[in-house]
Amino acid sequence: MTEDKNNWKGWSEIESDPAFFNVMLKQLGVKGLRVREVVSLDDEIVAFLPRPIYGLIFLFNWREDDPVKQELICPPNVWFANQTVGNACATVALLNIVYNIPNIDLGLPLQSFRDFTAEFPPALRGDAIGKFEFVRNVHNSFVRKIDMLNIDLQMQYDYGAAKKPLKKKGGKAVNDATAFHFIAFIPVDGTLWKLDGLEKQPHSLGTVSSSDWLGQVKPDLEARMTEYNDEQIDFAILSVVQDPLVRLVRDLACNVKCIQILDSHLDDRRPDWRNNDAPANAEGAIVATHTLTGPNIHYELDELAVNHVLLRHDIQCRLATDNASELLDIRQSLASEQGLLRASILEEQESDRKDDDKAAACCQDHGPLIRKWLLFLARKGVLKMLLASEKVEGADELE
């Protein structure tokens, strides 16, 4: 099946599920990003999203905006690609965001592609995406054999339908087909952009600061959603955010470094403080031995992170004391803080594993097995008998 996917030249449809986008980011080699669903544009709901929020992906029943709103040419500081192949809009929208985020680890394949297409116009970038096997194979990670067959059949139908004249409505030619489409919104250098791969050029939504750009894009999204009647309410909004693990692991590294330095100070001032048999009193409790004091692979914490993180200013100021009991109190506080950090890291890791499991379940293709089983039943005459018992039309034609 993997070979069939890699040899298939089509592009599959992708659900608007954050799990699939997160697995795609991982397979593409991008580090430090996560995709989270935006269930509501209310400020109270958006406030729970991890920060920073780099961009939004919007799925809707596509309608073309006024071309006059588009830029005449793509600004040099904006990486934008057109969508030149069918069903690629999810990946095009994702790349249109990822390639406009500064200082992220794209991984070698995507970084090389970005360098290669740096001077390309949007149409050539889109054409390059369509020919980029690495990206296409990642995009098609979730496709099944039956999906490939259906997409190929749909392409044949669309080709035939394209030869027929379109219906007229309000003096304009329209197509009855419903086209759901992913587009991107992202601030770049103080300007908010709508990046729609089906439009020739980016569309500026005005100047904006990095802190309030969500407030500016909210009216635009709400206006688009109100254009549709009550029967067309299939929308989805996904946010591309910094992976919470980036901040959590950084905070854990700082915590461990503070504890290391604190332990060194305690060794100088009270050499017996590590003795668990010493009574805990009001001057400071003896902390648990399970507190991390160095790198730990289970929490994605390496020695480099601990060595290069800056010491917290508040801890640095309090280390000046010669009072060992006060230092023990500080350590106890850091140990409690570490427990919360480690729990949060494990929670994010579990979320990541659930995304992988969900994507893996989607990739399970039982179609070939079912087809072989049906052929076996047909050869044995069992299928004909079963169909005849149900009086299925055409059963006599089975051999």
Side-chain angles (χ1 to χ4, degrees), residues 238-259:
L238 305 175
S239 61
V240 180
V241 303
Q242 183 184 75
D243 188 344
L245 279 173
V246 173
R247 177 188 60 81
L248 290 170
V249 173
R250 183 176 62 242
D251 289 349
L252 181 59
C254 181
N255 177 278
V256 168
K257 186 169 186 176
C258 289
I259 290 176

Side-chain angles (χ1 to χ4, degrees), residues 149-161:
L149 294 173
N150 286 336
I151 290 169
D152 289 342
L153 287 173
Q154 184 63 42
M155 289 181 65
Q156 294 179 18
Y157 172 81
D158 291 343
Y159 177 77

Side-chain angles (χ1 to χ4, degrees), residues 21 78 97 99 147 165 191 206 245 284 293 302 351 354 357 359 366 381:
F21 283 84
V78 177
I97 289 179
Y99 277 145
D147 299 324
T191 301
L245 279 173
T293 59
D302 56 33
S351 175
K354 287 181 178 179
D357 292 343
H366 302 293

Side-chain angles (χ1 to χ4, degrees), residues 51 53 187 190 192 207-219:
R51 290 320 196 249
I53 302 175
L192 179 60
T207 59
V208 67
S209 69
S210 58
S211 60
D212 69 351
W213 75 271
L214 287 175
Q216 185 161 332
V217 77
K218 179 179 177 180

Side-chain angles (χ1 to χ4, degrees), residues 342-393:
R342 289 162 63 179
S344 297
I345 289 174
L346 293 176
E347 184 178 347
E348 289 297 329
Q349 290 173 336
E350 178 62 22
S351 175
D352 189 44
R353 282 191 290 269
K354 287 181 178 179
D355 285 347
D356 290 340
D357 292 343
K358 191 170 188 177
C362 179
C363 295
Q364 291 179 0
D365 190 357
H366 302 293
L369 175 62
I370 294 173
R371 284 192 293 272
K372 287 184 179 180
W373 180 245
L374 289 175
L375 286 173
F376 175 78
L377 293 178
R379 292 192 186 102
K380 295 295 184 180
V382 177
L383 186 60
K384 180 179 179 180
M385 180 181 65
L386 292 174
L387 294 176
S389 66
E390 296 293 332
K391 298 181 180 180
V392 176
E393 184 179 352

Side-chain angles (χ1 to χ4, degrees), residues 17 44 70 110 124 152 216 272 276 354:
D17 190 316
E44 296 81 4
Q70 301 174 28
L110 287 195
L124 286 183
D152 289 342
Q216 185 161 332
D272 64 343
N276 288 332
K354 287 181 178 179

